[in-house]
Amino acid sequence: MSHGKNLVYYKTDYEVGLMKEAAVLVSKTLSEVAKVLKAGMTTLQIDSLCATFIKDHKGIPSFHNYRGYPHHICASVNDVVVHGFPNSIPLKDGDVVSIDFGVILNGWHGDHAYSFVIGDTSDDVKQLIRVTKESLYKGIEKSIVNNRIGDIAFAIQEHTERKHKYGVVRELVGHGLGKSLHEDPNVPNYGTRGNGLKLKENLVLAIEPMINMGSKDVFTDADGWTVKTKDGKPSVHFEHDVCVKRNKALILSDYSIIEAAEQANTNLFPSPVIVF
Ligand code: MF3
Ligand code: CO
């Protein structure tokens, strides 16, 4: 998302530590979601679970009222790319839902997202999820000192669009993160190697590929927020908070606790039927 300011803020090591606490609190919230997610649940129930969990842990949900956003999470199901409003429609088997959530903790923002499958889904959607997550890590690999924003962008586009023929959303981008939810620089998921801002140590980025199974084209609903694919095909979204370092980027958010909860939740990953 774009914003008015035009300044890049580099954090101190101490501030990066505080930002890690904020990012991990979001990860913990998403792992709570992963534990209970199942067909029949509504995204409004997930919204209240997340808001309660964050408040119980002394955080402030950051999306609520941000530019008038009316909920605590973004819940984007199937052809919804991002910024889906939580609603009272029960999730059903085969749905892919991205939960994007942000918190302010001790004055610092955490903002990240994870895409879940309800029950089982098609091989096509499974591949879209796998490739989108892989592309996020390929972008993170490039988030080191002296690389440029364009190197991150190119790596994501290369893996998703050129290799797998998916559509990379152009209208929405990742961003710097800190005392504000959206800081410079923008972090597009498409671009040219060697272009853009040169990365320096302790720049914190929210890298967030939004990848469509079909065409890259999207539109915004009449509600002014919900972004959907034009062709109605599914879209997947993953987001990590990442700190630029000299040799290897430091990932502040933590998927391992989400993935562990996801694998333990038999409603998300049905056990294979054992035939005697
Ligand atoms: N991760 C999203 C973003 O960076 C979340 C913003 S939703 C909003 O744009 F409601 F806060 F705008
Ligand atoms: Co973001």
Tab-separated table of all heavy atoms in Angstrom, residues 177-227:
chain	number	residue	atom	x	y	z
A	177	LEU	N	8.562	-1.159	7.282
A	177	LEU	CA	7.757	-1.352	8.492
A	177	LEU	C	8.541	-0.823	9.688
A	177	LEU	O	9.763	-0.965	9.743
A	177	LEU	CB	7.492	-2.852	8.654
A	177	LEU	CG	6.559	-3.319	9.766
A	177	LEU	CD1	5.111	-2.988	9.403
A	177	LEU	CD2	6.688	-4.836	9.972
A	178	GLY	N	7.834	-0.207	10.641
A	178	GLY	CA	8.545	0.329	11.808
A	178	GLY	C	7.589	0.921	12.803
A	178	GLY	O	6.699	0.239	13.309
A	179	LYS	N	7.764	2.204	13.078
A	179	LYS	CA	6.811	2.897	13.942
A	179	LYS	C	5.515	3.158	13.191
A	179	LYS	O	4.490	3.460	13.789
A	179	LYS	CB	7.420	4.211	14.443
A	179	LYS	CG	8.426	4.006	15.567
A	179	LYS	CD	8.515	5.232	16.458
A	179	LYS	CE	9.552	5.060	17.544
A	179	LYS	NZ	8.999	4.407	18.738
A	180	SER	N	5.587	3.079	11.845
A	180	SER	CA	4.392	3.153	11.007
A	180	SER	C	4.172	1.818	10.311
A	180	SER	O	5.122	1.072	10.077
A	180	SER	CB	4.528	4.237	9.940
A	180	SER	OG	4.815	5.477	10.529
A	181	LEU	N	2.895	1.561	9.969
A	181	LEU	CA	2.561	0.309	9.265
A	181	LEU	C	3.149	0.317	7.858
A	181	LEU	O	3.593	-0.707	7.364
A	181	LEU	CB	1.027	0.145	9.231
A	181	LEU	CG	0.465	-1.042	8.471
A	181	LEU	CD1	1.010	-2.367	9.008
A	181	LEU	CD2	-1.066	-1.044	8.550
A	182	HIS	N	3.126	1.476	7.228
A	182	HIS	CA	3.668	1.568	5.870
A	182	HIS	C	4.729	2.649	5.808
A	182	HIS	O	4.426	3.824	5.915
A	182	HIS	CB	2.556	1.856	4.854
A	182	HIS	CG	1.555	0.745	4.778
A	182	HIS	ND1	0.224	0.919	5.044
A	182	HIS	CD2	1.708	-0.563	4.480
A	182	HIS	CE1	-0.402	-0.242	4.901
A	182	HIS	NE2	0.473	-1.153	4.565
A	183	GLU	N	5.977	2.227	5.662
A	183	GLU	CA	7.091	3.153	5.503
A	183	GLU	C	7.715	2.912	4.133
A	183	GLU	O	7.480	1.885	3.508
A	183	GLU	CB	8.152	2.889	6.594
A	183	GLU	CG	7.656	3.199	8.002
A	183	GLU	CD	8.729	3.008	9.079
A	183	GLU	OE1	9.861	2.570	8.754
A	183	GLU	OE2	8.423	3.296	10.251
A	184	ASP	N	8.542	3.829	3.707
A	184	ASP	CA	9.340	3.588	2.515
A	184	ASP	C	10.369	2.509	2.820
A	184	ASP	O	10.782	2.374	3.967
A	184	ASP	CB	10.041	4.890	2.086
A	184	ASP	CG	9.102	5.790	1.309
A	184	ASP	OD1	8.257	5.245	0.570
A	184	ASP	OD2	9.193	7.013	1.464
A	185	PRO	N	10.829	1.770	1.839
A	185	PRO	CA	10.430	1.841	0.436
A	185	PRO	C	9.252	0.909	0.141
A	185	PRO	O	8.939	0.030	0.937
A	185	PRO	CB	11.677	1.315	-0.272
A	185	PRO	CG	12.188	0.263	0.675
A	185	PRO	CD	11.895	0.783	2.063
A	186	ASN	N	8.610	1.110	-1.019
A	186	ASN	CA	7.698	0.104	-1.547
A	186	ASN	C	8.507	-1.131	-1.945
A	186	ASN	O	9.642	-1.004	-2.405
A	186	ASN	CB	6.979	0.628	-2.796
A	186	ASN	CG	5.821	1.538	-2.443
A	186	ASN	OD1	5.353	1.573	-1.304
A	186	ASN	ND2	5.357	2.292	-3.428
A	187	VAL	N	7.910	-2.295	-1.784
A	187	VAL	CA	8.576	-3.546	-2.175
A	187	VAL	C	7.666	-4.307	-3.139
A	187	VAL	O	6.869	-5.150	-2.737
A	187	VAL	CB	8.892	-4.421	-0.936
A	187	VAL	CG1	9.711	-5.635	-1.342
A	187	VAL	CG2	9.624	-3.618	0.138
A	188	PRO	N	7.767	-3.993	-4.442
A	188	PRO	CA	6.915	-4.675	-5.424
A	188	PRO	C	7.323	-6.143	-5.573
A	188	PRO	O	8.443	-6.525	-5.233
A	188	PRO	CB	7.174	-3.916	-6.729
A	188	PRO	CG	8.110	-2.811	-6.416
A	188	PRO	CD	8.674	-3.016	-5.061
A	189	ASN	N	6.414	-6.931	-6.090
A	189	ASN	CA	6.688	-8.348	-6.337
A	189	ASN	C	7.040	-8.596	-7.798
A	189	ASN	O	6.973	-9.721	-8.280
A	189	ASN	CB	5.473	-9.181	-5.913
A	189	ASN	CG	5.181	-9.006	-4.442
A	189	ASN	OD1	6.052	-9.260	-3.606
A	189	ASN	ND2	3.983	-8.541	-4.103
A	190	TYR	N	7.397	-7.519	-8.493
A	190	TYR	CA	7.801	-7.581	-9.899
A	190	TYR	C	8.811	-6.469	-10.090
A	190	TYR	O	8.729	-5.428	-9.433
A	190	TYR	CB	6.588	-7.339	-10.816
A	190	TYR	CG	5.907	-6.026	-10.493
A	190	TYR	CD1	6.257	-4.850	-11.164
A	190	TYR	CD2	4.987	-5.949	-9.456
A	190	TYR	CE1	5.685	-3.646	-10.816
A	190	TYR	CE2	4.415	-4.736	-9.097
A	190	TYR	CZ	4.770	-3.604	-9.787
A	190	TYR	OH	4.211	-2.401	-9.416
A	191	GLY	N	9.792	-6.697	-10.964
A	191	GLY	CA	10.760	-5.632	-11.191
A	191	GLY	C	12.041	-6.127	-11.821
A	191	GLY	O	12.137	-7.269	-12.256
A	192	THR	N	13.010	-5.233	-11.821
A	192	THR	CA	14.249	-5.454	-12.556
A	192	THR	C	15.421	-5.537	-11.592
A	192	THR	O	15.572	-4.688	-10.710
A	192	THR	CB	14.478	-4.280	-13.533
A	192	THR	OG1	13.272	-4.108	-14.290
A	192	THR	CG2	15.639	-4.552	-14.459
A	193	ARG	N	16.231	-6.556	-11.770
A	193	ARG	CA	17.447	-6.709	-10.953
A	193	ARG	C	18.307	-5.453	-11.016
A	193	ARG	O	18.442	-4.852	-12.073
A	193	ARG	CB	18.299	-7.866	-11.498
A	193	ARG	CG	17.929	-9.204	-10.907
A	193	ARG	CD	18.848	-10.270	-11.429
A	193	ARG	NE	18.549	-10.570	-12.820
A	193	ARG	CZ	18.869	-11.709	-13.432
A	193	ARG	NH1	19.519	-12.647	-12.780
A	193	ARG	NH2	18.563	-11.913	-14.681
A	194	GLY	N	18.887	-5.073	-9.887
A	194	GLY	CA	19.813	-3.936	-9.877
A	194	GLY	C	19.125	-2.582	-9.826
A	194	GLY	O	19.796	-1.559	-9.759
A	195	ASN	N	17.778	-2.585	-9.853
A	195	ASN	CA	17.038	-1.310	-9.769
A	195	ASN	C	16.591	-1.025	-8.342
A	195	ASN	O	16.460	-1.926	-7.531
A	195	ASN	CB	15.787	-1.372	-10.637
A	195	ASN	CG	16.052	-0.932	-12.061
A	195	ASN	OD1	17.204	-0.812	-12.469
A	195	ASN	ND2	14.993	-0.703	-12.817
A	196	GLY	N	16.318	0.242	-8.084
A	196	GLY	CA	15.682	0.631	-6.823
A	196	GLY	C	16.673	0.892	-5.708
A	196	GLY	O	17.893	0.838	-5.888
A	197	LEU	N	16.113	1.148	-4.534
A	197	LEU	CA	16.899	1.527	-3.355
A	197	LEU	C	17.929	0.455	-3.008
A	197	LEU	O	17.635	-0.733	-3.017
A	197	LEU	CB	15.943	1.709	-2.162
A	197	LEU	CG	16.582	2.118	-0.833
A	197	LEU	CD1	16.906	3.603	-0.812
A	197	LEU	CD2	15.654	1.764	0.337
A	198	LYS	N	19.147	0.914	-2.687
A	198	LYS	CA	20.176	-0.014	-2.215
A	198	LYS	C	19.921	-0.320	-0.749
A	198	LYS	O	19.655	0.578	0.050
A	198	LYS	CB	21.562	0.608	-2.413
A	198	LYS	CG	22.691	-0.406	-2.252
A	198	LYS	CD	24.052	0.250	-2.321
A	198	LYS	CE	24.683	0.030	-3.680
A	198	LYS	NZ	26.123	0.428	-3.657
A	199	LEU	N	19.986	-1.603	-0.395
A	199	LEU	CA	19.621	-2.041	0.958
A	199	LEU	C	20.784	-1.821	1.924
A	199	LEU	O	21.929	-2.144	1.613
A	199	LEU	CB	19.224	-3.512	0.944
A	199	LEU	CG	18.113	-3.888	-0.047
A	199	LEU	CD1	17.843	-5.395	0.005
A	199	LEU	CD2	16.828	-3.112	0.245
A	200	LYS	N	20.437	-1.262	3.083
A	200	LYS	CA	21.426	-1.080	4.143
A	200	LYS	C	20.996	-1.861	5.375
A	200	LYS	O	19.820	-2.216	5.528
A	200	LYS	CB	21.584	0.405	4.465
A	200	LYS	CG	22.250	1.181	3.325
A	200	LYS	CD	22.862	2.490	3.794
A	200	LYS	CE	21.852	3.607	3.746
A	200	LYS	NZ	22.394	4.914	4.144
A	201	GLU	N	21.946	-2.099	6.257
A	201	GLU	CA	21.683	-2.925	7.434
A	201	GLU	C	20.551	-2.331	8.276
A	201	GLU	O	20.470	-1.113	8.465
A	201	GLU	CB	22.957	-3.055	8.278
A	201	GLU	CG	22.793	-4.051	9.400
A	201	GLU	CD	24.061	-4.842	9.673
A	201	GLU	OE1	25.151	-4.434	9.228
A	201	GLU	OE2	23.948	-5.882	10.349
A	202	ASN	N	19.697	-3.229	8.789
A	202	ASN	CA	18.597	-2.897	9.706
A	202	ASN	C	17.462	-2.082	9.079
A	202	ASN	O	16.726	-1.389	9.774
A	202	ASN	CB	19.121	-2.219	10.979
A	202	ASN	CG	19.805	-3.211	11.899
A	202	ASN	OD1	19.970	-4.377	11.546
A	202	ASN	ND2	20.193	-2.770	13.073
A	203	LEU	N	17.338	-2.198	7.761
A	203	LEU	CA	16.097	-1.780	7.112
A	203	LEU	C	15.112	-2.931	7.316
A	203	LEU	O	15.462	-4.086	7.079
A	203	LEU	CB	16.351	-1.561	5.615
A	203	LEU	CG	15.111	-1.278	4.748
A	203	LEU	CD1	14.462	0.048	5.140
A	203	LEU	CD2	15.504	-1.243	3.262
A	204	VAL	N	13.925	-2.624	7.810
A	204	VAL	CA	12.925	-3.688	8.027
A	204	VAL	C	11.836	-3.588	6.962
A	204	VAL	O	11.267	-2.513	6.739
A	204	VAL	CB	12.314	-3.616	9.447
A	204	VAL	CG1	11.228	-4.686	9.612
A	204	VAL	CG2	13.408	-3.811	10.504
A	205	LEU	N	11.592	-4.719	6.296
A	205	LEU	CA	10.648	-4.779	5.181
A	205	LEU	C	9.548	-5.794	5.460
A	205	LEU	O	9.812	-6.854	6.041
A	205	LEU	CB	11.376	-5.217	3.900
A	205	LEU	CG	12.539	-4.343	3.429
A	205	LEU	CD1	13.273	-5.042	2.271
A	205	LEU	CD2	12.047	-2.967	2.987
A	206	ALA	N	8.334	-5.457	5.050
A	206	ALA	CA	7.256	-6.440	4.980
A	206	ALA	C	7.191	-6.872	3.525
A	206	ALA	O	6.792	-6.091	2.657
A	206	ALA	CB	5.939	-5.835	5.434
A	207	ILE	N	7.626	-8.114	3.265
A	207	ILE	CA	7.634	-8.644	1.897
A	207	ILE	C	6.393	-9.509	1.756
A	207	ILE	O	6.153	-10.392	2.585
A	207	ILE	CB	8.920	-9.459	1.628
A	207	ILE	CG1	10.159	-8.602	1.939
A	207	ILE	CG2	8.949	-9.970	0.186
A	207	ILE	CD1	11.486	-9.325	1.733
A	208	GLU	N	5.569	-9.228	0.728
A	208	GLU	CA	4.272	-9.901	0.681
A	208	GLU	C	3.787	-10.209	-0.736
A	208	GLU	O	2.965	-9.479	-1.289
A	208	GLU	CB	3.210	-9.114	1.459
A	208	GLU	CG	3.118	-7.627	1.212
A	208	GLU	CD	2.007	-7.006	2.095
A	208	GLU	OE1	0.950	-7.613	2.261
A	208	GLU	OE2	2.222	-5.886	2.601
A	209	PRO	N	4.296	-11.317	-1.318
A	209	PRO	CA	3.801	-11.699	-2.638
A	209	PRO	C	2.301	-12.003	-2.629
A	209	PRO	O	1.809	-12.691	-1.743
A	209	PRO	CB	4.616	-12.951	-2.995
A	209	PRO	CG	5.217	-13.418	-1.714
A	209	PRO	CD	5.345	-12.221	-0.847
A	210	MET	N	1.601	-11.424	-3.607
A	210	MET	CA	0.179	-11.697	-3.845
A	210	MET	C	0.121	-12.291	-5.240
A	210	MET	O	0.363	-11.591	-6.230
A	210	MET	CB	-0.618	-10.381	-3.776
A	210	MET	CG	-0.713	-9.822	-2.363
A	210	MET	SD	-0.887	-8.019	-2.324
A	210	MET	CE	0.828	-7.505	-2.156
A	211	ILE	N	-0.139	-13.600	-5.330
A	211	ILE	CA	0.053	-14.335	-6.585
A	211	ILE	C	-1.261	-14.992	-7.022
A	211	ILE	O	-1.889	-15.713	-6.247
A	211	ILE	CB	1.160	-15.404	-6.419
A	211	ILE	CG1	2.455	-14.782	-5.832
A	211	ILE	CG2	1.436	-16.107	-7.752
A	211	ILE	CD1	3.116	-13.701	-6.669
A	212	ASN	N	-1.638	-14.712	-8.274
A	212	ASN	CA	-2.886	-15.228	-8.830
A	212	ASN	C	-2.636	-16.479	-9.663
A	212	ASN	O	-1.674	-16.530	-10.437
A	212	ASN	CB	-3.543	-14.183	-9.740
A	212	ASN	CG	-3.902	-12.905	-9.002
A	212	ASN	OD1	-3.902	-12.861	-7.763
A	212	ASN	ND2	-4.200	-11.855	-9.755
A	213	MET	N	-3.551	-17.453	-9.537
A	213	MET	CA	-3.422	-18.658	-10.349
A	213	MET	C	-3.564	-18.316	-11.830
A	213	MET	O	-2.899	-18.896	-12.682
A	213	MET	CB	-4.480	-19.680	-9.951
A	213	MET	CG	-4.343	-20.987	-10.682
A	213	MET	SD	-5.554	-22.185	-10.160
A	213	MET	CE	-4.919	-22.633	-8.565
A	214	GLY	N	-4.431	-17.372	-12.121
A	214	GLY	CA	-4.658	-16.970	-13.513
A	214	GLY	C	-3.996	-15.632	-13.822
A	214	GLY	O	-2.826	-15.429	-13.532
A	215	SER	N	-4.795	-14.724	-14.408
A	215	SER	CA	-4.225	-13.441	-14.839
A	215	SER	C	-3.900	-12.543	-13.647
A	215	SER	O	-4.458	-12.684	-12.570
A	215	SER	CB	-5.204	-12.751	-15.796
A	215	SER	OG	-5.620	-11.514	-15.276
A	216	LYS	N	-3.001	-11.600	-13.871
A	216	LYS	CA	-2.569	-10.684	-12.819
A	216	LYS	C	-3.623	-9.623	-12.499
A	216	LYS	O	-3.503	-8.895	-11.518
A	216	LYS	CB	-1.263	-9.995	-13.218
A	216	LYS	CG	-1.396	-9.076	-14.431
A	216	LYS	CD	-0.048	-8.490	-14.787
A	216	LYS	CE	-0.048	-7.469	-15.905
A	216	LYS	NZ	-1.071	-7.521	-16.932
A	217	ASP	N	-4.673	-9.540	-13.320
A	217	ASP	CA	-5.601	-8.418	-13.203
A	217	ASP	C	-6.542	-8.552	-12.013
A	217	ASP	O	-7.108	-9.614	-11.761
A	217	ASP	CB	-6.434	-8.286	-14.482
A	217	ASP	CG	-5.559	-7.953	-15.679
A	217	ASP	OD1	-4.449	-7.418	-15.464
A	217	ASP	OD2	-5.973	-8.246	-16.817
A	218	VAL	N	-6.704	-7.439	-11.304
A	218	VAL	CA	-7.555	-7.403	-10.114
A	218	VAL	C	-8.471	-6.177	-10.162
A	218	VAL	O	-8.252	-5.272	-10.965
A	218	VAL	CB	-6.695	-7.352	-8.815
A	218	VAL	CG1	-5.803	-8.582	-8.700
A	218	VAL	CG2	-5.869	-6.069	-8.733
A	219	PHE	N	-9.475	-6.186	-9.313
A	219	PHE	CA	-10.320	-4.992	-9.162
A	219	PHE	C	-10.702	-4.860	-7.693
A	219	PHE	O	-10.609	-5.822	-6.931
A	219	PHE	CB	-11.565	-5.080	-10.049
A	219	PHE	CG	-12.560	-6.133	-9.625
A	219	PHE	CD1	-13.673	-5.786	-8.869
A	219	PHE	CD2	-12.386	-7.469	-9.972
A	219	PHE	CE1	-14.593	-6.762	-8.464
A	219	PHE	CE2	-13.296	-8.443	-9.583
A	219	PHE	CZ	-14.400	-8.094	-8.825
A	220	THR	N	-11.108	-3.651	-7.313
A	220	THR	CA	-11.538	-3.416	-5.936
A	220	THR	C	-13.058	-3.347	-5.892
A	220	THR	O	-13.683	-2.654	-6.688
A	220	THR	CB	-10.931	-2.098	-5.402
A	220	THR	OG1	-9.511	-2.175	-5.547
A	220	THR	CG2	-11.268	-1.902	-3.926
A	221	ASP	N	-13.632	-4.098	-4.947
A	221	ASP	CA	-15.080	-4.157	-4.745
A	221	ASP	C	-15.677	-2.794	-4.397
A	221	ASP	O	-14.963	-1.875	-4.025
A	221	ASP	CB	-15.350	-5.068	-3.544
A	221	ASP	CG	-16.073	-6.326	-3.940
A	221	ASP	OD1	-16.189	-6.597	-5.145
A	221	ASP	OD2	-16.534	-7.027	-3.024
A	222	ALA	N	-17.016	-2.743	-4.439
A	222	ALA	CA	-17.740	-1.520	-4.089
A	222	ALA	C	-17.493	-1.102	-2.638
A	222	ALA	O	-17.667	0.078	-2.298
A	222	ALA	CB	-19.230	-1.720	-4.328
A	223	ASP	N	-17.065	-2.020	-1.768
A	223	ASP	CA	-16.786	-1.651	-0.365
A	223	ASP	C	-15.522	-0.797	-0.232
A	223	ASP	O	-15.195	-0.313	0.849
A	223	ASP	CB	-16.710	-2.896	0.529
A	223	ASP	CG	-15.554	-3.829	0.178
A	223	ASP	OD1	-14.582	-3.391	-0.457
A	223	ASP	OD2	-15.625	-5.015	0.560
A	224	GLY	N	-14.801	-0.624	-1.340
A	224	GLY	CA	-13.616	0.229	-1.328
A	224	GLY	C	-12.346	-0.457	-0.834
A	224	GLY	O	-11.264	0.147	-0.851
A	225	TRP	N	-12.427	-1.701	-0.389
A	225	TRP	CA	-11.271	-2.421	0.174
A	225	TRP	C	-10.981	-3.739	-0.534
A	225	TRP	O	-9.853	-3.984	-0.952
A	225	TRP	CB	-11.490	-2.709	1.669
A	225	TRP	CG	-11.227	-1.533	2.553
A	225	TRP	CD1	-12.163	-0.679	3.071
A	225	TRP	CD2	-9.952	-1.077	3.023
A	225	TRP	NE1	-11.543	0.271	3.841
A	225	TRP	CE2	-10.193	0.053	3.827
A	225	TRP	CE3	-8.638	-1.512	2.843
A	225	TRP	CZ2	-9.161	0.752	4.460
A	225	TRP	CZ3	-7.605	-0.822	3.463
A	225	TRP	CH2	-7.876	0.299	4.257
A	226	THR	N	-12.017	-4.596	-0.616
A	226	THR	CA	-11.806	-5.978	-1.047
A	226	THR	C	-11.229	-6.038	-2.461
A	226	THR	O	-11.867	-5.592	-3.415
A	226	THR	CB	-13.142	-6.751	-1.012
A	226	THR	OG1	-13.749	-6.532	0.258
A	226	THR	CG2	-12.927	-8.235	-1.241
A	227	VAL	N	-10.036	-6.612	-2.593
A	227	VAL	CA	-9.399	-6.757	-3.900
A	227	VAL	C	-9.608	-8.188	-4.383
A	227	VAL	O	-9.321	-9.138	-3.650
A	227	VAL	CB	-7.897	-6.425	-3.814
A	227	VAL	CG1	-7.210	-6.609	-5.166
A	227	VAL	CG2	-7.690	-5.000	-3.302
